Amino acid sequence: MLCALDQFATPLWQGIDRLADPVARAVNSLPSGDCVHTLTMTGELADCFPGRQDGVTQLVDYIAARLGRSNPIYVYAGSKGLITPDRLQGCHADVASANWHATATYVAKYLGSGILVDLGTTTTDIIPFHEQQVCSRGYTDQERLRTGELVYTGITRTPVMAVLERLPYKNVWQSIAAEYFASMADVYRITGDLDERFDLIPAADGGEKTRYHSIKRLARMLGAEYDETDALQPWLDVAHHIAEKQFEKIDLAFNKVTDRVGNSVGKNIVAAGAGRFIVNKLALKNDYELVDFEDLLPLSDEKLRSANNCSTAVAVAALTRISHQVMR
């Protein structure tokens, strides 16, 4: 039974020491008594690590040392399942960025066949599964970027300049600045689609997270300015255009994956992540049945329906529980 969820900002690219506060807060929030911990990751290629293997090793060592050696600790290693930290040697490639695989494996066990679309703050995973097995073509980030199963776009951290190069402003097409002036969090704050709980990273200029300040940031992308006396509608039009272009990127990748698997996986889309509202649009456009990730979970409290944005953490916890039940 799922009893509690929490999420902490971890700007890992600034150094592994930036994990100190969020890890301490997470450990302090745990219930008293013995706990079983399971780790998965997606940060092993952050700027603070010289390479993937070193990143995996440092992250596992860092977290494991702070969880207490008296409690069982496992690391999710994809198709190899759960391993203990002392078995990490030779498994780095399986552990690296295996978070998506954990979510898809859990979903496959409960739904059988379908497509998981986990649209988060930074990336979008599009993972087919069939007969309770993950059937993605790629495994590493590089392989999944090639196959369309990973789209490096999300609803908060993605810079606007990574979504498009030109857009119409007041009925005239123009180029935009190739600068990190605004992010997709600003876009969806302007359109009214953003749930502020999911925007944990500072804005591009470190400024306030209001619709007004988001429009000011977005205006800089066009070499323009905005103040409260200006008309709102042109900026609503700009924001909706950018959002539509991001949707087209995701839809293109989704159709690349579905064209490959055909009808074998059925017509269910499992929606996970903070960008569930986009997944809903994806299901409607492509005539798929939408299944919420949290509908596949045993929830102790209706308030925990935010599990959709913590799908990987929930999945590894559930898979660990299943594994322990089997071992008994």
Side-chain angles (χ1 to χ4, degrees):
M1 182 67 72
L2 183 62
C3 298
L5 287 169
D6 216 334
Q7 185 175 214
F8 307 98
T10 52
L12 185 57
W13 59 91
Q14 296 175 5
I16 196 168
D17 60 311
R18 294 305 299 269
L19 292 177
D21 178 64
V23 170
R25 291 166 62 193
V27 170
N28 290 336
S29 70
L30 294 174
S32 58
D34 295 335
C35 292
V36 176
H37 304 290
T38 305
L39 314 178
T40 188
M41 68 181 67
T42 182
E44 72 285 340
L45 276 181
D47 296 339
C48 60
F49 303 126
R52 177 178 282 113
Q53 181 168 323
D54 184 76
V56 170
T57 300
Q58 283 199 47
L59 285 169
V60 171
D61 288 349
Y62 186 95
I63 303 296
R66 285 154 180 80
L67 290 177
R69 299 293 181 178
S70 61
N71 292 317
I73 299 172
Y74 298 96
V75 182
Y76 185 76
S79 59
K80 291 184 179 178
L82 303 177
I83 63 172
T84 53
D86 61 301
R87 290 181 52 212
L88 191 60
Q89 188 65 34
C91 297
H92 296 86
D94 303 284
V95 172
S97 292
N99 56 328
W100 66 272
H101 193 278
T103 311
T105 297
Y106 176 82
V107 168
K109 286 183 180 295
Y110 280 84
L111 196 60
S113 298
I115 296 182
L116 167 69
V117 181
D118 189 345
L119 204 168
T121 58
T122 311
T123 61
T124 302
D125 295 306
I126 304 171
I127 312 299
F129 54 95
H130 181 53
E131 296 182 346
Q132 298 188 318
Q133 298 294 320
V134 177
C135 55
S136 59
R137 176 172 287 181
Y139 185 82
T140 67
D141 282 356
Q142 186 273 319
E143 292 167 348
R144 295 192 305 120
L145 283 166
R146 185 177 60 209
T147 62
E149 293 161 352
L150 171 62
V151 188
Y152 233 95
T153 195
I155 69 159
T156 61
R157 287 184 56 203
T158 300
V160 169
M161 63 180 174
V163 175
L164 77 179
E165 296 179 354
R166 290 171 53 81
L167 54 73
Y169 174 57
K170 295 182 178 180
N171 298 317
V172 178
W173 282 86
Q174 72 163 82
S175 299
I176 66 169
E179 290 279 0
Y180 182 42
F181 288 138
S183 70
M184 291 307 293
D186 292 309
V187 169
Y188 290 118
R189 185 174 292 113
I190 295 168
T191 64
D193 293 309
L194 180 66
D195 185 329
E196 294 291 348
R197 293 176 301 161
F198 304 145
D199 186 20
L200 302 178
I201 301 298
D205 61 356
E208 295 181 44
K209 294 181 178 181
T210 65
R211 180 186 249 190
Y212 170 71
H213 286 88
S214 284
I215 295 176
K216 286 181 71 69
R217 285 188 286 269
L218 187 58
R220 296 189 190 112
M221 297 298 306
L222 280 68
E225 292 183 287
Y226 175 78
D227 65 43
E228 292 173 312
T229 63
D230 295 333
L232 175 63
Q233 191 59 50
W235 297 107
L236 287 174
D237 294 341
V238 167
H240 281 292
H241 180 83
I242 297 168
E244 184 61 28
K245 288 302 177 182
Q246 185 183 49
F247 175 78
E248 289 176 7
K249 286 177 176 282
I250 296 166
D251 184 54
L252 183 66
F254 179 80
N255 281 281
K256 182 177 181 179
V257 174
T258 55
D259 286 348
R260 175 176 67 82
V261 298
N263 296 322
S264 63
V265 300
K267 299 289 284 186
N268 285 320
I269 288 182
V270 178
R276 182 203 173 282
F277 62 95
I278 300 176
V279 185
N280 183 50
K281 181 178 178 180
L282 191 69
L284 289 172
K285 178 185 179 295
N286 293 283
D287 195 27
Y288 274 67
E289 189 73 25
L290 190 74
V291 179
D292 283 331
F293 174 78
E294 62 262 33
D295 288 340
L296 307 179
L297 300 171
L299 298 176
S300 62
D301 190 322
E302 197 59 25
K303 294 178 182 177
L304 294 176
R305 293 192 70 80
S306 61
N308 206 324
N309 192 45
C310 301
S311 53
T312 293
V314 173
V316 292
L319 292 172
T320 303
R321 185 179 181 87
I322 292 169
S323 177
H324 274 238
Q325 289 173 341
V326 170
M327 286 188 289
R328 289 173 186 171

